[in-house]
Amino acid sequence: MLNSSKFCMEKIELKRKKLDASGRLIISIDVSSKSEVIRMCREIDNKVKTLKLGLELIYSTGPDIISIVKSFGYKVLLDAKLHDIPNTVCKAAAAISKLGVEMITIHTLGGGVMLKNAREKICELSISSGMFPPMLLGVTILTSLDDSDLKNLGFKNGYKTSVLNLVEAALNSNLDGIICSPNEVKLIRKTYGNNFFIATPGIRLSEDSPADQKRFSTPDEAILDGADFIIVGRSITGKDNISETIDVFLEKIKKVSKK
Ligand code: C5P
């Protein structure tokens, strides 16, 4: 029998080798109608390879929006943020496996059994239908939370230790990578190395407003510290000149990727 976890790890190496700036910048499409999505797909003009579709959009339009985005030539990161008991998440992961997305997010706070079962199910179903399994990325501590929020929620540790613990859970469960804020990328790489992907939301140009993000940084810093992907929403989609703003991000990524 094909070892599905090993199959997934080999996929990480292949993918990283192929990443260029347009593959590293992921744009978050946080809108609620099909027409807005189509307008965004056109405006972005395939300057990036992957668009992130999340809760607002999927609950507004239904999952059919995924094939519409794919018809424009984009890959899809489905920000499903799976978090429930292992049985429920495993069955949801099985259903998502049929949607043909490139990446899926899952909350590491759901624990090791939930993560492992989802990982295995996704690999199993993809391999049996002859497809590369989608990357499974573990969300650690949301970028909208800081140490005082964690303290109020009863966390014993601040975000740095909490994120490290959750990365360990993700890696022990053979996830392809994790989602964290740019602020802890360096520490995660130093602690756990390079054999997994890191994607960071909470990205802003220095002149942008952080809005609800509390742990954020610039695209250059995130990449320099070791992020593979940066996920950007309002700093691009909230601008009047989306196309030019994407060029600014791509240029910044290219510059620091050479170092
Ligand atoms: O507009 P902005 O760049 O802040 O959007 C960030 C996107 O990344 C949102 O869609 C949000 O749901 C998502 N995200 C996040 N923090 C995480 C995981 C995902 O902000 N930890």
Side-chain angles (χ1 to χ4, degrees):
M1 200 182 88
L2 182 51
N3 178 331
S4 55
S5 297
K6 184 164 180 288
F7 182 91
C8 292
M9 294 308 286
E10 281 168 3
K11 185 183 152 212
I12 289 181
E13 287 313 311
L14 283 175
K15 289 235 163 209
R16 187 178 265 136
K17 275 186 199 148
K18 287 187 194 158
L19 277 182
D20 62 6
S22 67
R24 300 180 81 170
L25 176 59
I26 297 176
I27 301 183
S28 185
I29 307 297
D30 294 313
V31 296
S32 55
S33 71
K34 185 175 147 186
S35 59
E36 285 172 286
V37 173
I38 291 175
R39 182 178 62 77
M40 284 283 179
C41 285
R42 292 201 174 117
E43 214 162 332
I44 293 167
D45 198 19
N46 297 90
K47 286 185 171 188
V48 302
K49 296 201 169 73
T50 309
L51 302 184
K52 180 177 90 66
L53 312 183
L55 302 177
E56 176 187 354
L57 183 62
I58 298 296
Y59 283 119
S60 302
T61 64
D64 287 351
I65 198 71
I66 293 169
S67 45
I68 294 174
V69 170
K70 285 172 66 180
S71 74
F72 281 87
Y74 297 103
K75 295 174 186 170
V76 170
L77 186 177
L78 181 61
D79 196 7
K81 293 214 172 67
L82 297 169
H83 191 179
D84 208 317
I85 59 170
N87 180 57
T88 304
V89 166
C90 196
K91 287 180 175 158
I96 290 172
S97 293
K98 295 179 190 143
L99 299 175
V101 298
E102 182 75 4
M103 307 176 185
I104 303 167
T105 63
I106 185 165
H107 269 289
T108 50
L109 276 165
V113 176
M114 183 200 81
L115 296 171
K116 270 186 200 133
N117 289 0
R119 161 80 297 168
E120 277 305 310
K121 181 56 79 185
I122 288 170
C123 283
E124 209 181 284
L125 291 178
S126 304
I127 291 168
S128 67
S129 53
M131 298 189 316
F132 247 0
M135 276 190 214
L136 191 59
L137 301 174
V139 177
T140 54
I141 299 289
L142 293 172
T143 43
S144 52
L145 302 175
D146 61 16
D147 278 347
S148 88
D149 296 311
L150 293 186
K151 197 172 166 206
N152 291 336
L153 288 168
F155 277 62
K156 191 173 69 189
N157 299 304
Y159 72 84
K160 285 193 175 152
T161 307
S162 304
V163 168
L164 285 180
N165 291 341
L166 293 169
V167 172
E168 192 165 330
L171 299 181
N172 286 339
S173 309
N174 292 322
L175 265 54
D176 301 284
I178 58 104
I179 311 245
C180 64
S181 103
N183 298 172
E184 51 270 4
V185 173
K186 213 186 234 174
L187 176 66
I188 293 171
R189 286 294 186 213
K190 196 170 155 226
T191 313
Y192 296 111
N194 290 311
N195 202 18
F196 59 97
F197 288 113
I198 296 183
T200 59
I203 297 292
R204 296 288 184 267
L205 295 175
S206 40
E207 63 270 26
D208 291 335
S209 152
D212 53 352
Q213 299 286 19
K214 291 186 182 164
R215 296 176 4 256
F216 57 92
S217 189
T218 60
D220 338 30
E221 242 164 42
I223 298 282
L224 271 175
D225 284 353
D228 296 292
F229 304 102
I230 56 170
I231 298 171
V232 185
R234 289 161 288 185
S235 270
I236 290 178
T237 56
K239 300 281 167 67
D240 293 331
N241 48 352
I242 288 183
S243 183
E244 284 161 39
T245 311
I246 294 172
D247 292 340
V248 170
F249 273 83
L250 291 175
E251 222 20 72
K252 284 181 185 292
I253 296 172
K254 271 185 210 154
K255 235 183 214 165
V256 291
S257 301
K258 281 183 202 142
K259 289 189 178 167

